[in-house]
């Protein structure tokens, strides 16, 4: 299972990492309410006060000027209960499955802990959680990542394929010019020790806390030591110092010379605004070299800006394929059949944007996008392929462009949200689902690659395991190799899989007593922009 950056081990650890709005405050506090008068705020079962009565009233108000808006912070003196009651009213009004929420008394919960209660416990047809996408992020961190594509760490994205002893954590890819890149860490390296603690076997609370501290340093400038096993079986020690790392969302852009002609290939890891120009440059290169086929590697792309996915869809297909059909239509809860509950605007389909977008201002520009005018596209996927990436696939299928899926099931997120800031924390709760131009959007269990599709969520293609023994973009890498084989033969190879790497096996499971259960190690997605479907309203340039 592919996951990346900032880790959590338990809900308590997550609360400590993200609790930017906690603090004191009981159920009754003499403070200003939303109308500006002085009075008490109280939880009353079944009664949901107006959001404005609680919004921006904070237990710990921020002071000064917001560097991202150049305006004063909107925070006012309030309490933890104000923050909780805002979350409660906001969720009751905008949450897609608001009818499935229990009216939980906020007493005894922190703000982040209470937010965790405000989601459905419903299941998908496969028995999986319906809402796996309920998150909160420190607002300053979120904005830094959104605007600059910067994350703190070593520049490593991980693949966790075993989260209980003997654990297995593998390097999926490295950001260029990062501490990991400088140290010589490679795709396929497996973590053995962190700061002298066995990642594979250790199970004590103290050891796990040390592993988390090493994997996810709290700030730049922290030195940590990793022992990793290379693909050839050798153990190598890396001494790395954490830093603020710039994300490179588009990479490995190349034109491959094959038996069927020129094939364009690119790795696309994050739907962030920074990717727009990189995608445009790649498409121009592919167009100039007159490629016959295109392979887009989305195996590690958790989503992001829906408008950017729309732009990429347009650049792949062009006007002749799209023929004025839309990218996606959003559907909100039954309180808002015709209007957007966040913007108040009448619901309109998301178009295939055919121009460059100024994401800083949220407006279109007159600059036209380049197009390839293809009739099909190969998409490499993993279980980390999610949200806006799935919307890209679904939208192209909605306009009859053939999508060939190579890899494994996607994560299953036909849902999205508007991130909302309150008191220094940005909250992400599911507010809409998306359907394509054919009215399909039921893929809560993901898209499945298969040679014989039976269901609408099945996509023609080949199931192939991730191949960490080869670099991304190598024609020998199992998934890309399979895509090229399919392009030539119009079928999957006889064996469309990759044998797991044969490691030394020199590490054993530590004995545990019945009083000491094995602890499941968990990683948290990179951040909410990179791993979700974000709807940013785009307006025409006036």
């Amino acid at each position: 299972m592919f996951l990346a950056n900032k880790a959590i081990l338990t809900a308590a650890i997550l609360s400590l990492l993200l609790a930017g709005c906690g603090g004191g405050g009981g159920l009754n506090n003499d403070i200003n309410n939303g109308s500006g008068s002085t009075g008490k705020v109280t939880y009353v079962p079944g009664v949901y006060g107006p959001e404005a009565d609680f919004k921006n009233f904070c237990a710990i108000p921020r002071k000064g000027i917001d560097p991202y808006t150049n305006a004063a912070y909107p925070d006012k003196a309030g309490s933890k209960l104000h923050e909780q009651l805002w979350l409660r009213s906001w969720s009751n009004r905008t949450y897609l499955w608001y009818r499935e929420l229990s009216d939980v008394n906020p007493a005894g919960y922190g703000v982040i802990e209470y937010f965790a209660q405000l989601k459905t416990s419903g299941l998908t047809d496969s028995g999986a959680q319906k809402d796996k996408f309920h998150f909160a992020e420190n607002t300053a961190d979120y904005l830094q990542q959104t605007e600059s594509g910067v994350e703190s760490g070593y520049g490593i994205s991980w693949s966790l394929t075993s989260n209980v002893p003997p654990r297995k954590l593998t390097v999926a890819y490295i950001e260029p010019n990062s501490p990991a890149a400088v140290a010589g860490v490679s795709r396929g390296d497996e973590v053995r020790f962190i700061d002298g603690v066995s990642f594979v076997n250790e199970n004590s609370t103290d050891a796990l806390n040390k592993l988390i501290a090493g994997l996810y340093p709290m700030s730049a400038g922290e030195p940590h030591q990793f022992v990793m096993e290379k693909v050839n079986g050798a153990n190598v020690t890396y001494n790395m110092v954490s830093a603020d790392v710039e994300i490179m969302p588009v990479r490995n852009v190349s034109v491959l010379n094959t038996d069927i002609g020129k094939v364009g290939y690119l790795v696309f890891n994050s739907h962030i605004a920074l990717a727009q120009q990189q995608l445009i440059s790649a498409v121009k290169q592919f167009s100039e070299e007159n490629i016959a086929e295109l392979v887009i590697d989305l195996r590690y792309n958790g989503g992001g800006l829906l408008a950017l996915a729309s732009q990429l869809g347009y650049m792949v297909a062009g006007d002749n394929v799209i023929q004025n059909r839309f990218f996606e239509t959003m559907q909100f809860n039954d309180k808002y059949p015709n209007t957007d509950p966040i913007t108040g605007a009448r619901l309109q389909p998301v178009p295939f944007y055919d121009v460059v977008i100024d994401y800083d201002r949220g407006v279109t520009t007159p600059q036209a996008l380049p197009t390839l005018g293809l009739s099909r596209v190969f998409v490499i996927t993993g279980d980390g392929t999610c949200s806006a990436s799935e919307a890209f696939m679904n939208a192209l299928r909605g306009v009859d462009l053939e999508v060939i899926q190579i890899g494994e099931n996607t994560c299953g997120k036909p849902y999205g949200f508007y991130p909302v800031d309150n008191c220094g924390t940005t909250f992400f709760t599911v507010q809409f689902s998306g359907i394509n131009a054919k009215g399909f959007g039921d893929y809560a269990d993901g898209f499945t690659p298969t040679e014989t599709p039976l269901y609408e969520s099945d996509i023609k293609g080949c199931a192939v395991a991730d191949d960490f023994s080869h670099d991304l973009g190598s024609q020998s890498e199992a998934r890309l190799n399979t895509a090229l084989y399919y392009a030539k033969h119009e079928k999957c190879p006889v064996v469309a899989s990759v044998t797991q790497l044969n490691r030394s096996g020199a590490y054993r499971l530590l004995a545990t007593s019945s009083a000491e259960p094995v602890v499941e190690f968990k990683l948290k997605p990179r951040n909410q922009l990179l791993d979700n479907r974000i709807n940013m309203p785009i307006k025409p340039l006036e």
Side-chain angles (χ1 to χ4, degrees):
M1 171 170 36
F2 175 81
L3 294 155
N5 300 340
K6 295 183 183 175
I8 55 171
L9 183 58
T10 63
I13 293 176
L14 175 60
S15 179
L16 288 173
L17 289 175
L18 299 179
C21 298
L27 286 180
N28 295 288
N29 295 281
D30 289 330
I31 48 182
N32 290 331
N33 62 25
S35 63
S37 61
T38 301
K40 296 180 178 179
V41 290
T42 306
Y43 164 74
V44 180
V47 177
Y48 296 85
E51 294 165 46
D53 285 358
F54 314 115
K55 183 80 166 75
N56 298 323
F57 283 89
C58 312
I60 305 176
R62 292 166 294 177
K63 297 179 181 180
I65 302 298
D66 184 339
Y68 293 97
T69 66
N70 294 318
Y73 287 112
D75 301 2
K76 293 163 281 192
S79 70
K80 179 177 70 171
L81 182 58
H82 269 94
E83 299 179 35
Q84 292 169 320
L85 292 181
W86 173 76
L87 284 169
R88 177 172 171 264
S89 293
W90 175 61
S91 299
N92 178 258
R93 184 175 69 85
T94 70
Y95 188 56
L96 183 62
W97 303 291
Y98 75 96
R99 293 184 180 274
E100 300 176 27
L101 295 182
S102 300
D103 187 4
V104 178
N105 188 327
Y109 292 99
V111 174
I112 302 299
E113 294 172 324
Y114 186 63
F115 178 61
Q117 309 303 309
L118 299 175
K119 71 172 187 175
T120 179
S121 59
L123 305 176
T124 67
D125 291 341
S126 71
Q129 284 186 341
K130 183 190 297 186
D131 188 353
K132 301 174 288 186
F133 313 101
H134 197 73
F135 298 103
E137 181 87 8
N138 176 276
T139 298
D141 291 344
Y142 162 68
L143 290 174
Q144 181 189 47
Q145 293 159 358
T146 302
E147 306 236 344
S148 64
V150 171
E151 294 182 310
S152 293
Y154 313 106
I156 301 174
S157 289
W158 304 102
S159 175
L160 180 67
T161 51
S162 177
N163 59 1
V164 295
R167 302 181 189 91
K168 184 175 180 180
L169 184 66
T170 307
V171 175
Y173 65 89
I174 305 292
E175 296 293 348
N177 304 314
S178 64
V182 172
V185 179
S186 304
R187 171 175 165 83
D189 288 357
E190 289 185 9
V191 176
R192 295 308 187 192
F193 293 89
I194 301 174
D195 292 332
V197 178
S198 171
F199 177 85
V200 178
N201 294 318
E202 284 289 359
N203 201 48
S204 70
T205 299
D206 182 61
L208 289 170
N209 285 338
K210 289 180 180 178
L211 293 174
I212 289 172
L215 272 175
Y216 303 103
M218 296 299 292
S219 60
E222 293 185 22
H224 293 279
Q225 184 182 85
F226 289 73
V227 176
M228 300 191 195
E229 184 178 344
K230 308 292 286 186
V231 172
N232 64 8
N235 283 344
V236 177
T237 299
Y238 298 107
N239 292 295
M240 294 184 287
V241 178
S242 62
D244 290 335
V245 178
E246 182 177 357
I247 298 165
M248 182 66 69
V250 180
R251 58 178 66 200
N252 299 87
V253 178
S254 57
V255 175
L256 309 175
N257 292 310
T258 73
D259 293 342
I260 60 169
K262 294 183 177 182
V263 176
Y265 172 83
L266 63 84
V267 175
F268 182 26
N269 286 337
S270 304
H271 283 77
I272 59 175
L274 183 66
Q276 179 179 222
Q277 189 54 53
Q278 296 173 9
L279 290 171
I280 290 172
S281 297
V283 169
K284 286 181 176 178
Q285 178 183 341
F286 296 153
S287 178
E288 290 169 358
E289 299 208 34
N290 195 28
I291 62 170
E293 301 279 4
L294 175 63
V295 181
I296 300 179
D297 197 333
L298 298 177
R299 76 183 77 187
Y300 303 136
N301 192 319
L305 295 167
L306 202 60
L308 188 62
S310 163
Q311 289 176 296
L312 179 58
Y314 177 80
M315 287 190 280
V316 170
D319 291 323
N320 290 339
V321 172
I322 293 170
Q323 297 180 358
N324 295 317
R325 288 173 287 183
F326 61 80
F327 179 83
E328 180 174 283
T329 294
M330 294 186 297
Q331 295 180 324
F332 293 86
N333 67 39
D334 59 13
K335 294 181 180 181
Y336 296 92
N338 301 309
T339 59
D340 185 316
I342 308 301
T343 67
R346 286 191 61 80
L347 291 182
Q348 299 287 340
V350 176
F352 280 90
Y353 288 106
D354 58 0
V355 295
V356 172
I357 293 173
D358 182 339
Y359 282 102
D360 289 335
R361 295 188 293 162
V363 298
T364 58
T365 74
Q367 183 180 344
L369 293 174
T371 63
L372 295 172
L374 298 174
S375 59
R376 77 173 178 181
V377 63
F378 288 82
V379 179
I380 294 178
T381 65
D383 66 359
T385 305
C386 196
S387 200
S389 294
E390 292 172 301
F392 165 79
M393 298 167 67
N394 195 46
L396 290 180
R397 297 178 78 208
V399 296
D400 299 308
L401 187 144
E402 185 178 20
V403 175
I404 306 296
Q405 182 181 356
I406 306 294
E408 60 186 313
N409 272 42
T410 62
C411 83
K413 187 174 185 288
Y415 315 116
F417 40 60
Y418 290 89
V420 178
D421 167 32
N422 191 54
C423 298
T425 299
T426 299
F427 296 94
F428 305 79
T429 190
V430 173
Q431 290 149 333
F432 62 89
S433 62
I435 59 174
N436 65 18
K438 291 185 175 181
F440 178 69
D442 186 13
Y443 52 90
D445 288 314
F447 286 118
T448 302
T450 174
E451 286 195 87
T452 55
L454 296 176
Y455 306 103
E456 285 191 272
S457 59
D458 291 344
I459 298 182
K460 186 185 295 184
C462 313
V464 188
D466 209 350
D467 175 11
F468 295 110
S469 64
H470 293 93
D471 289 334
L472 297 177
S474 166
Q475 292 190 44
S476 298
E477 192 276 320
R479 289 177 174 173
L480 176 55
N481 185 267
T482 299
L484 297 176
Y485 182 95
Y486 194 105
K488 180 178 180 180
H489 300 283
E490 299 296 330
K491 63 180 182 180
C492 298
V494 174
V495 180
S497 63
V498 60
T499 303
Q500 292 298 314
L501 300 179
N502 183 18
R503 299 296 192 169
S504 64
Y507 301 91
R508 62 184 179 84
L509 173 64
L510 295 179
T512 57
S513 68
S514 58
E516 185 185 5
V518 172
V519 177
E520 184 181 40
F521 193 91
K522 297 181 180 179
L523 302 178
K524 179 177 172 285
R526 290 170 288 183
N527 64 65
Q528 308 324 309
L529 178 72
L530 299 182
D531 294 283
N532 286 285
R533 177 190 307 225
I534 308 294
N535 184 53
M536 174 187 288
I538 305 297
K539 300 178 181 179
L541 180 65
E542 296 179 353

